[in-house]
Amino acid sequence: MTVPERLPRDFFARPTLTVARELLGARLVRIEPDGQRTAGIIVETEAYIGEEDQGCHARAGRTPRTAVMYGPPGHAYVYFTYGMHWLFNVVTEQEGFPAAVLVRALLPTEGLERMAARRRNRPRREWTNGPAKLCQALAIDGSFHGADLCTPEAMLFLEPAVTFPDESVTTGPRVGLNTVPEPWKSIPWRFMVRSPHLFLT
DNA sequence: AGCACGATTAACT
DNA sequence: GTTAATCGTGCTC
């Protein structure tokens, strides 16, 4: 039995748009304390890039909340919003430059029963089709904020899995930036796989 | 110290 | 289509 391959720090230490595109098809894996894996294939991401990006939390500069985004790539930036939801990002670019990729949707592949239970037995398609939903399904919360996703010991990490061709990928404006000024509100930094099931052989 | 609002979701009409 | 839920964060006083 070989150690499962994990995406290395070099993967994340690249331009954020490249990482956001290439994370489509990667598998996000959570290993729970009892050893159970819950995982899914990433099918939607968004890029948040630097202090100039008025949609990025780092627009406010370095604060206690955003400090992780200024740190080394390949770490988790997990934050709490709307008083009840956790959202999971991966830090990108070189240390010192604040940027991250928000993971917005997965196709569930492992630990299906646990996902269903944590998603209150809703239909399968509603388990991980939103950034807060996938955090609930995989039990990702603030305890992972700042966690290194690239070490062999990490209990939350990414694995290479599927390659989605460019024809299957669409882009568009990022979601939920209603009060953000242009051009940041409309810049197409959202990446989606159109019909992911057609490409899963 | 107070306040407005958010990288959302679920349950409405 | 609309709206309540619910609280940490960052900004203003």
Side-chain angles (χ1 to χ4, degrees):
Chain A
M1 188 69 188
T2 59
V3 177
E5 185 183 358
R6 300 180 180 196
L7 292 178
R9 200 169 317 284
D10 285 353
F11 178 92
F12 303 102
R14 296 184 294 161
T16 307
L17 294 176
T18 302
V19 177
R21 164 62 182 89
E22 295 192 14
L23 275 177
L24 298 175
R27 184 187 296 114
L28 177 62
V29 182
R30 164 83 208 275
I31 299 181
E32 298 179 33
D34 68 353
Q36 170 72 53
R37 277 172 59 119
T38 51
I41 303 293
I42 296 175
V43 293
E44 183 177 341
T45 60
E46 284 176 357
Y48 291 87
I49 312 176
E51 296 180 350
E52 304 307 309
D53 175 4
Q54 293 302 296
C56 180
H57 289 159
R59 65 182 177 275
R62 189 175 196 138
T63 66
R65 180 208 208 184
T66 62
V68 169
M69 268 204 280
Y70 290 77
H75 288 244
Y77 171 59
V78 181
Y79 73 94
F80 187 65
T81 192
Y82 291 102
M84 64 190 92
H85 300 306
W86 294 101
L87 275 68
F88 169 75
N89 303 247
V90 187
V91 174
T92 58
E93 313 260 0
Q94 296 298 313
E95 182 165 2
F97 184 88
V101 172
L102 171 69
V103 178
R104 289 193 57 89
L106 310 174
L107 294 180
T109 58
E110 297 172 67
L112 304 183
E113 294 206 353
R114 293 205 181 182
M115 289 196 205
R118 286 192 287 251
R119 292 291 299 134
R120 310 189 63 170
N121 294 310
R122 291 173 185 286
R124 178 170 177 155
R125 66 177 313 280
E126 296 178 18
W127 292 351
T128 56
N129 66 336
K133 296 178 191 179
L134 70 89
C135 283
Q136 188 178 32
L138 270 59
I140 297 169
D141 61 19
S143 66
F144 286 96
H145 182 57
D148 190 346
L149 309 173
C150 300
T151 70
E153 303 81 31
M155 292 294 105
L156 182 66
F157 54 91
L158 295 119
E159 295 177 345
V162 181
T163 300
F164 291 116
D166 287 343
E167 313 88 75
S168 69
V169 176
T170 57
T171 61
R174 295 170 293 180
V175 176
L177 305 190
N178 301 304
T179 67
V180 170
E182 300 289 1
W184 311 110
K185 179 176 177 176
S186 299
I187 198 165
W189 286 356
R190 181 189 189 193
F191 297 82
M192 294 162 283
V193 181
R194 254 201 299 162
S195 299
H197 294 288
L198 298 180
F199 298 91
L200 296 182
T201 59

